[in-house]
Amino acid sequence: MNQKNDIQSPPFLSRVNLHANLNLLHRKREEKRGRPSKTYEDSSVSTKKRKNKDLLDTCGLDFILNSYTQGLRARGEREEALIVEVLRTLPPEKKSEIRNTLLSEPAHLTAYTKNEALGIFIDLNQSKAQYENMRSYLITKNCLLFPSYKSIREAKRMCYPPDSSIEITNIKAKIKLQDLLDHTSARLIKIDDVYKQGLNHLNLYSKWGCDGSSGQSEYKQPLPEEMRFCRPILIEFSKETPEKTTLVVNDINAQILALNPSLINHNGEGIEIKHTLFLTMIDGKVAQVLSETSSSAVCTICGAKPTEMNNLEKVRNKPVDEVSYQYGLSTLHCWIRFMEPILHLSYNLGFEKWSATTTENKDLKKHKKAYVQRNFREELGLNIDKPKQVDEELLKRFYVILQVMSCGRGIDATKFGQYAFDTAQLYVNKYKWFYMPSSVHKVLIHGESVIRHFSVLPLGQLSEDAQES
Ligand SMILES: [Zn+2]
């Protein structure tokens, strides 16, 4: 909204200037031709200025001012004459005070709508009493900026689907998916930027997922921005087991299969919204359960085991389970999953083995680990006496890949695939002795196919960050 003020219009201004200059030129030509000079009132601004200066140079300011106030009094304008005289002798700060009083416009207030007020109420994490106090302080200054608390309670009510679609028991709260999507679509259509007149058949792409959470001390942590756009489908107290995960996902999948398009009446116009849902807001663990992969060390797409990971020719030619593409790449978790091998590589660089078995190697690993951790704490990698380090080119490539995956824009799948495979080759050439973790393998070997699978949306937009918050 502020942008309007920020946008100056230089082309327009310069055109005005140009125009004025042309006038001046024109006038000078006319004068040269010896036309009779105009009266003061009929003169242009610049001519007036010239005439004023002539008078000032000849008579001086005091003479002119005295003539001015005398002239005012002669016309009966005694007040104005007095003001001019008093104003002349005031100190500068007093002058600006008077100027501000005379010229400042009364503040033009636009009251907040109830939805805007609700947004502020949530942003400021206010209580009902705080909101009402703030509102009444403003009212004592005749400032009716905020609607009543009752109005924002109404606005909040509008954010919820009808009671009938929510089921609450002692251990769980659950909402019917159809109702949730109908309500969400109807709310989205109300946003001015979303609805374009005449578009009566729309698609809504939603991502969904599930996760277990145990840290109950996290209760009441501030909600990150992402979370605002997240709608809970089911909250349940229960032990997170593979069976439970499968049960929950199957139940929601069944609801997805039975979904009807949402039919919305928007200002008398009928709009139909079809739904597509992506099960990508999950971490590797859930993907492992859903793809029935035996271990987290095994690839959920091609089933490659740790000992096969560094044989790129072999893993590249393994048959893939394309159904698993639907679970995406867990973009958010990739950051930590890519960090882990870098750390472990660095611990094991001294003896170049997958794991430390001899006492000597265990010692080497222990010391290197302490060293890396100390450096991490101290100065994130600014080492002066560098021992062996993880290849810098590999680090750079990991970083580029993670950035590209999370950027939320369309990715050229072919180029991504080539870059990722080159990176896998670099990894294997440098660190044959350290098996590539399954999550890194998944991105480097299957990333291209997963990106193609979701051609309708960029990978970064399917990430699981909202679920995590
Ligand atoms: Zn694989």
Side-chain angles (χ1 to χ4, degrees):
M1 271 179 283
N2 290 330
Q3 265 176 346
K4 265 186 195 159
N5 296 332
D6 293 335
I7 298 170
Q8 296 293 330
S9 41
F12 177 69
L13 284 178
S14 62
R15 235 171 55 209
V16 172
N17 284 337
L18 185 66
H19 192 69
N21 290 342
L22 283 174
N23 270 345
L24 196 67
L25 206 67
H26 192 56
R27 182 180 56 76
K28 280 197 173 153
R29 282 202 192 118
E30 278 178 355
E31 275 180 0
K32 271 185 191 157
R33 275 184 230 130
R35 288 206 176 176
S37 54
K38 293 173 181 168
T39 62
Y40 185 81
E41 279 75 16
D42 290 339
S43 301
S44 69
V45 174
S46 50
T47 309
K48 279 180 179 167
K49 277 188 178 169
R50 189 172 46 78
K51 288 182 174 173
N52 294 344
K53 190 173 180 303
D54 287 348
L55 187 65
L56 265 170
D57 289 347
T58 323
C59 308
L61 187 62
D62 279 344
F63 179 75
I64 294 165
L65 264 169
N66 290 336
S67 315
Y68 171 47
T69 47
Q70 192 179 323
L72 284 173
R73 287 202 173 85
R75 290 182 184 200
E77 303 278 2
R78 297 174 59 87
E79 297 294 330
E80 190 180 334
L82 188 67
I83 290 170
V84 172
E85 279 166 355
V86 172
L87 209 57
R88 278 286 301 157
T89 58
L90 287 176
E93 63 273 15
K94 199 76 192 163
K95 281 180 188 166
S96 53
E97 204 176 288
I98 291 172
R99 177 208 167 275
N100 289 342
T101 320
L102 289 175
L103 297 184
S104 69
E105 287 169 26
H108 182 70
L109 298 177
T110 319
Y112 288 110
T113 64
K114 58 184 179 182
N115 280 322
E116 287 168 341
L118 174 62
I120 293 168
F121 178 81
I122 292 169
D123 253 348
L124 299 180
N125 199 16
Q126 282 179 317
S127 65
K128 178 186 172 188
Q130 282 169 334
Y131 180 83
E132 287 184 329
N133 282 339
M134 174 183 77
R135 186 168 173 266
S136 35
Y137 279 128
L138 286 169
I139 288 174
T140 58
K141 292 285 181 188
N142 294 322
C143 184
L144 284 167
L145 214 47
F146 288 98
S148 68
Y149 181 76
K150 196 170 151 260
S151 310
I152 67 168
R153 205 170 50 193
E154 278 166 26
K156 206 171 176 184
R157 198 63 247 157
M158 302 291 290
C159 298
Y160 303 140
D163 287 347
S164 60
S165 52
I166 304 172
E167 177 200 330
I168 297 175
T169 70
N170 286 342
I171 56 154
K172 71 176 176 187
K174 185 182 175 186
I175 184 160
K176 289 183 194 123
L177 190 63
Q178 178 79 57
D179 292 349
L180 183 70
L181 288 171
D182 288 348
H183 183 260
T184 304
S185 312
R187 294 279 298 172
L188 285 172
I189 285 296
K190 286 206 175 93
I191 302 172
D192 288 342
D193 293 346
V194 171
Y195 179 67
K196 303 270 179 298
Q197 189 111 33
L199 292 180
N200 298 342
H201 296 274
L202 299 166
N203 288 309
L204 178 64
Y205 297 105
S206 310
K207 55 179 178 182
W208 70 284
C210 58
D211 193 12
S213 154
S214 46
Q216 290 318 311
S217 58
E218 287 162 28
Y219 174 68
K220 266 215 153 176
Q221 58 183 349
L223 291 181
E225 183 72 11
E226 271 280 326
M227 188 67 187
R228 298 263 175 90
F229 307 104
C230 211
R231 310 278 248 154
I233 306 172
L234 168 73
I235 302 167
E236 182 170 1
F237 284 112
S238 71
K239 196 167 159 49
E240 192 189 2
T241 61
E243 294 73 28
K244 184 75 211 177
T245 305
T246 313
L247 204 69
V248 167
V249 170
N250 284 348
D251 174 59
I252 294 171
N253 270 334
Q255 291 192 61
I256 293 173
L257 277 177
L259 278 178
N260 290 313
S262 300
L263 300 170
I264 293 155
N265 179 343
H266 182 64
N267 303 333
E269 201 159 349
I271 303 164
E272 186 194 83
I273 300 185
K274 283 189 182 148
H275 298 287
T276 309
L277 283 89
F278 301 112
L279 176 49
T280 58
M281 288 210 296
I282 51 174
D283 59 15
K285 200 171 143 200
V286 174
Q288 184 201 327
V289 170
L290 298 177
S291 59
E292 296 176 353
T293 308
S294 53
S295 146
S296 63
V298 172
C299 173
T300 51
I301 294 173
C302 72
K305 297 189 215 39
T307 49
E308 297 173 307
M309 289 293 179
N310 288 3
N311 185 343
L312 295 185
E313 265 324 293
K314 188 172 180 189
V315 293
R316 227 187 178 184
N317 292 314
K318 269 173 106 66
V320 293
D321 171 21
E322 292 189 6
V323 176
S324 294
Y325 288 161
Q326 63 169 313
Y327 307 129
L329 292 171
S330 308
T331 318
L332 178 73
H333 283 86
C334 273
W335 288 85
I336 188 106
R337 295 283 169 264
F338 273 61
M339 190 67 211
E340 278 161 1
I342 297 291
L343 283 175
H344 284 279
L345 272 174
S346 128
Y347 301 155
N348 295 9
L349 269 175
F351 49 91
E352 303 202 346
K353 291 243 158 39
W354 162 251
S355 63
T357 42
T358 64
T359 324
E360 191 197 350
N361 287 352
K362 278 182 185 161
D363 260 11
L364 273 172
K365 180 168 181 165
K366 200 174 113 193
H367 283 113
K368 185 64 192 288
K369 196 169 174 177
Y371 172 85
V372 170
Q373 287 173 344
R374 193 172 61 242
N375 267 287
F376 244 102
R377 264 199 298 276
E378 280 167 9
E379 235 174 322
L380 278 172
L382 275 179
N383 316 339
I384 294 152
D385 54 335
K386 285 188 181 174
K388 281 190 186 164
Q389 284 197 323
V390 179
D391 185 69
E392 219 168 287
E393 171 69 11
L394 184 71
L395 287 176
K396 198 196 102 190
R397 283 178 162 267
F398 273 17
Y399 178 70
V400 169
I401 289 168
L402 290 166
Q403 283 288 5
V404 167
M405 283 169 65
S406 351
C407 74
R409 308 185 57 162
I411 303 171
D412 182 327
T414 311
K415 283 185 183 164
F416 182 91
Q418 189 57 54
Y419 190 85
F421 192 70
D422 291 347
T423 306
Q425 274 178 322
L426 177 70
Y427 179 99
V428 172
N429 287 341
K430 292 268 172 189
Y431 309 109
K432 198 177 279 156
W433 48 271
F434 196 89
Y435 303 136
M436 192 183 291
S438 63
S439 35
V440 176
H441 154 94
K442 198 154 89 178
V443 170
L444 299 187
I445 304 298
H446 308 297
E448 179 180 347
S449 307
V450 175
I451 291 168
R452 283 191 210 287
H453 175 81
F454 292 109
S455 56
V456 66
L457 280 182
L459 197 64
Q461 294 187 13
L462 297 160
S463 75
E464 69 280 22
D465 6 0
Q467 174 72 44
E468 288 301 308
S469 7

